PDB file of all heavy atoms in Angstrom:
ATOM      1  N   ILE K 375      87.444  89.035-124.923  1.00  0.00           N
ATOM      2  CA  ILE K 375      88.543  88.542-124.020  1.00  0.00           C
ATOM      3  C   ILE K 375      89.921  88.324-124.831  1.00  0.00           C
ATOM      4  O   ILE K 375      90.929  88.698-124.474  1.00  0.00           O
ATOM      5  CB  ILE K 375      88.203  87.312-123.196  1.00  0.00           C
ATOM      6  CG1 ILE K 375      87.051  87.789-122.273  1.00  0.00           C
ATOM      7  CG2 ILE K 375      89.278  86.870-122.475  1.00  0.00           C
ATOM      8  CD1 ILE K 375      86.487  86.521-121.420  1.00  0.00           C
ATOM      9  N   GLY K 376      89.709  87.608-125.980  1.00  0.00           N
ATOM     10  CA  GLY K 376      90.877  87.267-126.850  1.00  0.00           C
ATOM     11  C   GLY K 376      91.559  88.642-127.230  1.00  0.00           C
ATOM     12  O   GLY K 376      92.804  88.784-127.211  1.00  0.00           O
ATOM     13  N   LEU K 377      90.754  89.554-127.823  1.00  0.00           N
ATOM     14  CA  LEU K 377      91.373  90.759-128.294  1.00  0.00           C
ATOM     15  C   LEU K 377      91.912  91.624-127.118  1.00  0.00           C
ATOM     16  O   LEU K 377      92.958  92.357-127.335  1.00  0.00           O
ATOM     17  CB  LEU K 377      90.274  91.675-128.871  1.00  0.00           C
ATOM     18  CG  LEU K 377      89.806  91.073-130.357  1.00  0.00           C
ATOM     19  CD1 LEU K 377      88.591  91.888-130.893  1.00  0.00           C
ATOM     20  CD2 LEU K 377      90.941  91.217-131.364  1.00  0.00           C
ATOM     21  N   SER K 378      91.238  91.583-126.035  1.00  0.00           N
ATOM     22  CA  SER K 378      91.781  92.380-124.910  1.00  0.00           C
ATOM     23  C   SER K 378      93.114  91.841-124.386  1.00  0.00           C
ATOM     24  O   SER K 378      94.018  92.578-124.170  1.00  0.00           O
ATOM     25  CB  SER K 378      90.797  92.422-123.667  1.00  0.00           C
ATOM     26  OG  SER K 378      90.627  91.149-123.168  1.00  0.00           O
ATOM     27  N   ILE K 379      93.244  90.506-124.288  1.00  0.00           N
ATOM     28  CA  ILE K 379      94.502  89.873-124.090  1.00  0.00           C
ATOM     29  C   ILE K 379      95.586  90.235-125.158  1.00  0.00           C
ATOM     30  O   ILE K 379      96.722  90.499-124.813  1.00  0.00           O
ATOM     31  CB  ILE K 379      94.438  88.358-123.863  1.00  0.00           C
ATOM     32  CG1 ILE K 379      93.435  87.989-122.704  1.00  0.00           C
ATOM     33  CG2 ILE K 379      95.755  87.630-123.680  1.00  0.00           C
ATOM     34  CD1 ILE K 379      93.117  86.598-122.507  1.00  0.00           C
ATOM     35  N   TRP K 380      95.183  90.168-126.396  1.00  0.00           N
ATOM     36  CA  TRP K 380      96.142  90.329-127.373  1.00  0.00           C
ATOM     37  C   TRP K 380      96.659  91.815-127.420  1.00  0.00           C
ATOM     38  O   TRP K 380      97.802  92.152-127.531  1.00  0.00           O
ATOM     39  CB  TRP K 380      95.490  89.972-128.825  1.00  0.00           C
ATOM     40  CG  TRP K 380      96.414  90.147-129.980  1.00  0.00           C
ATOM     41  CD1 TRP K 380      97.376  89.205-130.306  1.00  0.00           C
ATOM     42  CD2 TRP K 380      96.507  91.203-130.762  1.00  0.00           C
ATOM     43  NE1 TRP K 380      98.056  89.672-131.458  1.00  0.00           N
ATOM     44  CE2 TRP K 380      97.577  90.963-131.814  1.00  0.00           C
ATOM     45  CE3 TRP K 380      95.859  92.569-130.919  1.00  0.00           C
ATOM     46  CZ2 TRP K 380      97.815  91.825-132.723  1.00  0.00           C
ATOM     47  CZ3 TRP K 380      96.245  93.350-131.954  1.00  0.00           C
ATOM     48  CH2 TRP K 380      97.156  92.964-132.927  1.00  0.00           C
ATOM     49  N   LEU K 381      95.698  92.679-127.205  1.00  0.00           N
ATOM     50  CA  LEU K 381      96.088  94.135-127.115  1.00  0.00           C
ATOM     51  C   LEU K 381      96.994  94.417-125.965  1.00  0.00           C
ATOM     52  O   LEU K 381      97.852  95.275-126.003  1.00  0.00           O
ATOM     53  CB  LEU K 381      94.764  94.988-127.160  1.00  0.00           C
ATOM     54  CG  LEU K 381      93.913  94.996-128.373  1.00  0.00           C
ATOM     55  CD1 LEU K 381      92.686  95.824-128.227  1.00  0.00           C
ATOM     56  CD2 LEU K 381      94.779  95.669-129.559  1.00  0.00           C
ATOM     57  N   MET K 382      96.644  93.838-124.723  1.00  0.00           N
ATOM     58  CA  MET K 382      97.504  94.108-123.636  1.00  0.00           C
ATOM     59  C   MET K 382      98.950  93.696-123.859  1.00  0.00           C
ATOM     60  O   MET K 382      99.866  94.170-123.259  1.00  0.00           O
ATOM     61  CB  MET K 382      96.926  93.350-122.353  1.00  0.00           C
ATOM     62  CG  MET K 382      95.706  93.999-121.833  1.00  0.00           C
ATOM     63  SD  MET K 382      95.982  95.480-120.867  1.00  0.00           S
ATOM     64  CE  MET K 382      96.945  94.963-119.568  1.00  0.00           C
TER      65      MET K 382
END
Side-chain angles (χ1 to χ4, degrees):
I375 294 176
L377 288 173
S378 62
I379 294 173
W380 185 81
L381 290 173
M382 286 287 292

